[in-house]
Amino acid sequence: MSNESLANLMKEERRFAPPADLAANANVKAAAYEQAAADRLGFWAEQAKRLTWATEPTQTLDWTNAPFARWFADGKLNVAYNCVDRHVEAGNGDRVAIHFEGEPGDTRSLTYTELQREVSKAANALTSLGVEAGDRVAIYMPMIPETVIAMLACARLGAPHSVVFGGFSADALATRINDADARVVITSDGGYRRGKPSALKPAVDEALTKPGTENVRNVLVVRRTGQDTAWMEGRDVWWHELVDQQSDQHTPQAFDAEHPLFILYTSGTTGKPKGILHTTGGYLTQVSYTHHAVFDLKPETDVYWCTADVGWVTGHSYITYGPLSNGATEVLYEGTPDTPHQGRWWEIVQKYGVTILYTAPTAIRAAMKWGDDIPAKFDLSSLRVLGSVGEPINPEAWIWYRKHIGADRTPVVDTWWQTETGGIMLSPLPGVTAAKPGSAQVPLPGIAATVVDDEANEVPDGGGGYLVLTEPWPSMLRTIWGDDQRYLDTYWSRFEGKYFAGDGAKKDEDGDVWLLGRVDDVMLVSGHNISTTEVESALVSHPKVAEAAVVGATDPQTTQSICAFVILRGGVEQDEALVNELRAHVAQSLGPIAKPKRILPVQELPKTRSGKIMRRLLRDVAENRDMGDVSTLTDSSVMGLIQSQLSSAP
Ligand code: 6R9
């Protein structure tokens, strides 16, 4: 990336030091960086002691068959035992593990003792359906306690799960069932979304008519909404009939540290979805450590809430495995943030006294758009750490989050990681780092990352290029399920010996890392590399803009030209003058080269379930092409809306 254009970009001078009391009592202090730098493998061997092993590992990393890693390979453990039973054995059985809040307002709290019974019953039920260690189980569920219970029951049996987001279509589900060769599907009649029951079981029924899904023997169905549900005798089994009658005693068996724990599919921009494979010991070590370090979790007093869907990796690592391995008390919320009103999340924070909140920039921008007065109506004073994940967080959204949710007092941790990395890789530490709005800043202790140029040379401070991970880490993906070659090609062939993350990045003058979006999204305008993220952040910093998505459209004169889709704040009129004002604002913030050629006001932007803008689809619109696959959009009508709006525009 040319340094000349970058030099203008993202001059962020604001710094926020950790609050003194948090710094003094932080779980992880600055010394961790030095310790890990002096002996990285020794550091991870130390962190593995956070877990309870049936057989303690004597080896840390086996990298002899790089890039196929084995961590703690001679150790044995059971993940569910680590997330549940050991807390009961330690005398914490009465602590609440999960405060469930249904969208209609029904609630249920499960202590660790209750969770242990439920997971044991579910494990016995799966065994009765013939599930054995190594069998794959697909989970297609709403956000309810049984989803977490089902994941833990699979883990307890050593049966790798493949959670498929409940918003995905029957086709997307069938592809994933087929690729993983799942034997059982766990689902529910439906879940509540936007005030209504929304069915799930019909998509399973349809998926199971498609070729490649014949090996599914049983469908285990949780009754959540009570809606009418078609039934296939012999195949379909009600959870409340089968699970509830099981014994609540189950002895967990220890599995090898490298036993598969789960497969999670990432769609990527092209081609068939990649089944990212995670294994047991290294994964649990890193998610446990990072959850402890990044959120400063104090299990006796904190109430933690991650708003992600469990169908996203964030739900796996920071709803199920990280928090529960640490004995956390957490909130699980079923529904949407604006049902029945736009203050629902803040009401939940107030109700449960949430102390740590982990969410995505898209949700923060939506809350900004709805207005400052909404969170102001609730008591949010329990909050002490705020996290962000999923996309670069625009500095203005970061500042808003800290100010309006965190009372201008709480640290904000911007956590960079991927399905493939399994756990958080770059993030400030809330008790250590002087935080910069918009930057994920530094690799965590024990993690080695840098930014390189096209020739794989590390860029100096101030330079830009590609984010790479230069040493293996415990929760790294082990391969792409069934496709070792694709694993090598996708991640390890771009730069010799380094993991290619696919994200553009730059280092600022302090050496802190700024993520600039997926490499496919970086634009080339008249010989300058310009990041979509930076132009979006410039647009969002204008008081009339709530959200922005920027793409590079093919242009005969300039290679690509910048096309911006913007959502205006409530009440703002769109006209020619406003478009000119926004173009001038970007030119002033970033330099004339970054001025969008076109700015198109729209009502909605196409997003994935994890809130990522699907720029590929917007590029199709900007270049007047037919749209590609829209099956992983949260709301597939959005693209039609954008197209009809643009075709009716003058
Ligand atoms: C956890 C998750 C991974 C991609 C990643 C990057 C983007 C995630 C980010 C971020 C900037 C952050 N991303 N966190 N970009 N700052 N804090 O999101 O996993 O769904 O696999 O997506 O998300 O582009 O490469 P996944």
Side-chain angles (χ1 to χ4, degrees):
M1 216 168 282
S2 74
N3 292 342
E4 176 207 345
S5 63
L6 282 161
N8 300 323
L9 305 180
M10 275 194 186
K11 284 233 172 68
E12 179 56 70
E13 305 292 343
R14 294 169 288 193
R15 296 287 178 282
F16 298 88
D21 54 337
L22 200 157
N25 299 308
N27 287 350
V28 175
K29 303 209 167 125
Y33 292 107
E34 287 142 46
Q35 191 205 335
D39 178 8
R40 191 175 57 87
L41 295 180
F43 171 84
W44 283 117
E46 188 68 29
Q47 303 319 317
K49 298 193 178 128
R50 301 179 57 75
L51 307 181
T52 306
W53 297 78
T55 307
E56 297 276 340
T58 63
Q59 310 164 0
T60 303
L61 170 66
D62 174 2
W63 193 234
T64 52
N65 186 28
F68 296 94
R70 290 162 57 79
W71 282 85
F72 311 116
D74 62 346
K76 286 184 195 292
L77 74 168
N78 186 286
V79 168
Y81 173 83
N82 273 276
C83 292
V84 185
D85 306 55
R86 66 169 176 156
H87 307 311
V88 178
E89 288 171 14
N92 295 319
D94 292 338
R95 184 187 297 159
V96 171
I98 297 173
H99 285 297
F100 170 66
E101 172 92 10
E103 201 193 68
D106 58 319
T107 61
R108 177 178 169 200
S109 292
L110 282 157
T111 63
Y112 274 95
T113 299
E114 289 164 337
L115 187 62
Q116 184 184 32
R117 292 196 194 117
E118 295 303 319
V119 172
S120 297
K121 285 196 284 185
N124 286 325
L126 291 174
T127 303
S128 79
L129 296 177
V131 174
E132 290 177 6
D135 288 350
R136 272 82 61 200
V137 175
I139 299 180
Y140 184 69
M141 295 272 269
M143 288 283 290
I144 57 177
E146 285 81 359
T147 310
V148 176
I149 293 166
M151 292 166 82
L152 291 169
C154 289
R156 197 172 186 95
L157 298 175
H161 56 67
S162 161
V163 181
V164 179
F165 174 54
F168 282 175
S169 65
D171 271 334
L173 175 61
T175 313
R176 286 158 178 77
I177 288 174
N178 179 1
D179 189 77
D181 190 14
R183 301 307 161 100
V184 169
V185 179
I186 307 179
T187 188
S188 73
D189 51 358
Y192 290 96
R193 278 255 13 114
R194 307 200 180 284
K196 293 193 297 276
S198 158
L200 280 172
K201 173 77 166 33
V204 176
D205 293 337
E206 190 188 333
L208 294 184
T209 63
K210 303 200 187 270
T213 61
E214 299 81 5
N215 287 336
V216 173
R217 294 186 302 257
N218 291 107
V219 179
L220 183 58
V221 189
V222 175
R223 189 155 69 194
R224 166 68 185 141
T225 58
Q227 63 203 113
D228 282 345
T229 300
W231 209 250
M232 188 186 277
E233 286 306 331
R235 184 197 70 181
D236 299 349
V237 190
W238 282 113
W239 176 287
H240 60 268
E241 287 175 3
L242 183 70
V243 176
D244 290 0
Q245 69 179 30
Q246 303 293 321
S247 157
D248 62 9
Q249 302 293 310
H250 180 272
T251 309
Q253 181 194 336
F255 295 99
D256 287 346
E258 285 297 338
H259 188 82
L261 178 62
F262 66 82
I263 303 166
L264 182 60
Y265 288 84
T266 65
S267 46
T269 42
T270 49
K272 85 170 199 196
K274 300 190 280 282
I276 304 300
L277 177 69
H278 284 289
T279 60
T280 297
Y283 172 81
L284 199 63
T285 297
Q286 189 168 335
V287 299
S288 171
Y289 172 70
T290 52
H291 182 258
H292 161 85
V294 172
F295 300 109
D296 192 45
L297 179 90
K298 310 283 196 267
E300 300 79 18
T301 48
D302 276 316
V303 179
Y304 167 85
W305 181 21
C306 169
T307 66
D309 192 282
V310 270
W312 180 25
V313 71
T314 305
H316 285 58
S317 301
Y318 298 104
I319 293 178
T320 302
Y321 296 113
L324 297 178
S325 68
N326 289 336
T329 294
E330 63 177 334
V331 171
L332 185 74
Y333 172 56
E334 179 182 32
T336 47
D338 50 352
T339 306
H341 58 79
Q342 292 176 333
R344 184 69 189 270
W345 275 15
W346 319 123
E347 190 176 66
I348 293 172
V349 169
Q350 171 179 291
K351 175 172 174 185
Y352 294 100
V354 172
T355 57
I356 304 167
L357 179 70
Y358 192 28
T359 192
T362 181
I364 299 165
R365 289 190 301 261
M368 283 171 75
K369 180 168 69 184
W370 296 336
D372 308 351
D373 53 319
I374 294 176
K377 288 186 203 129
F378 299 90
D379 179 3
L380 306 180
S381 61
S382 54
L383 288 167
R384 65 179 198 92
V385 178
L386 300 176
S388 172
V389 58
E391 281 182 292
I393 175 164
N394 324 101
E396 287 322 306
W398 194 106
I399 294 283
W400 186 92
Y401 191 27
R402 178 179 159 104
K403 187 164 166 207
H404 294 280
I405 307 305
D408 228 345
R409 171 178 52 78
T410 59
V412 173
V413 287
D414 175 11
T415 63
W416 178 90
W417 59 293
Q418 310 176 298
T419 307
E420 293 86 340
T421 70
I424 299 171
M425 302 295 282
L426 272 74
S427 170
L429 285 175
V432 178
T433 319
K436 285 180 191 175
S439 171
Q441 295 190 291
V442 282
L444 288 178
I447 299 300
T450 191
V451 179
V452 298
D453 64 18
D454 278 307
E455 279 75 50
N457 302 311
E458 195 164 338
V459 304
D461 290 351
Y466 310 94
L467 183 71
V468 292
L469 304 171
T470 52
E471 297 287 351
W473 62 101
S475 65
M476 64 193 283
L477 77 166
R478 297 305 193 256
T479 189
I480 293 174
W481 181 255
D483 201 345
D484 287 348
Q485 190 57 46
R486 195 171 177 201
Y487 168 70
L488 296 172
D489 294 346
T490 310
Y491 307 108
W492 299 96
S493 64
R494 180 74 171 79
F495 300 112
E496 169 95 46
K498 297 184 175 76
Y499 172 90
F500 173 60
D503 281 351
K506 71 169 191 176
K507 278 196 212 165
D508 67 14
E509 297 303 332
D510 305 323
D512 284 329
V513 176
W514 293 74
L515 276 308
L516 302 176
R518 301 294 297 166
V519 173
D520 311 336
D521 292 334
V522 172
M523 303 172 289
L524 184 63
V525 183
S526 305
H528 296 264
N529 282 302
I530 298 179
S531 120
T532 49
T533 299
E534 292 182 300
V535 180
E536 286 161 10
S537 285
L539 285 163
V540 171
S541 74
H542 189 283
K544 291 183 184 156
V545 176
E547 278 225 63
V550 166
V551 298
T554 307
D555 187 289
Q557 269 94 45
T558 57
T559 317
Q560 285 189 312
S561 64
I562 302 177
C563 177
F565 296 79
V566 295
I567 300 181
L568 300 174
R569 288 196 181 228
V572 175
E573 285 290 314
Q574 62 176 81
D575 55 20
E576 185 79 31
L578 176 63
V579 166
N580 289 334
E581 187 182 323
L582 295 180
R583 296 179 71 230
H585 175 76
V586 175
Q588 202 194 5
S589 333
L590 300 179
I593 186 74
K595 184 152 88 175
K597 185 166 177 185
R598 293 167 76 196
I599 295 189
L600 306 165
V602 292
Q603 301 293 330
E604 295 280 354
L605 291 169
K607 290 193 190 139
T608 66
R609 70 244 142 115
S610 58
K612 296 191 213 314
I613 296 166
M614 290 187 77
R615 292 186 189 74
R616 170 175 62 83
L617 298 178
L618 293 173
R619 216 155 37 229
D620 291 343
V621 173
E623 296 177 346
N624 305 316
R625 252 198 319 277
D626 279 347
M627 261 176 291
D629 180 20
V630 295
S631 71
T632 55
L633 276 181
T634 39
D635 176 358
S636 55
S637 64
V638 167
M639 289 315 295
L641 192 70
I642 291 177
Q643 279 183 322
S644 64
Q645 205 183 337
L646 297 184
S647 55
S648 65

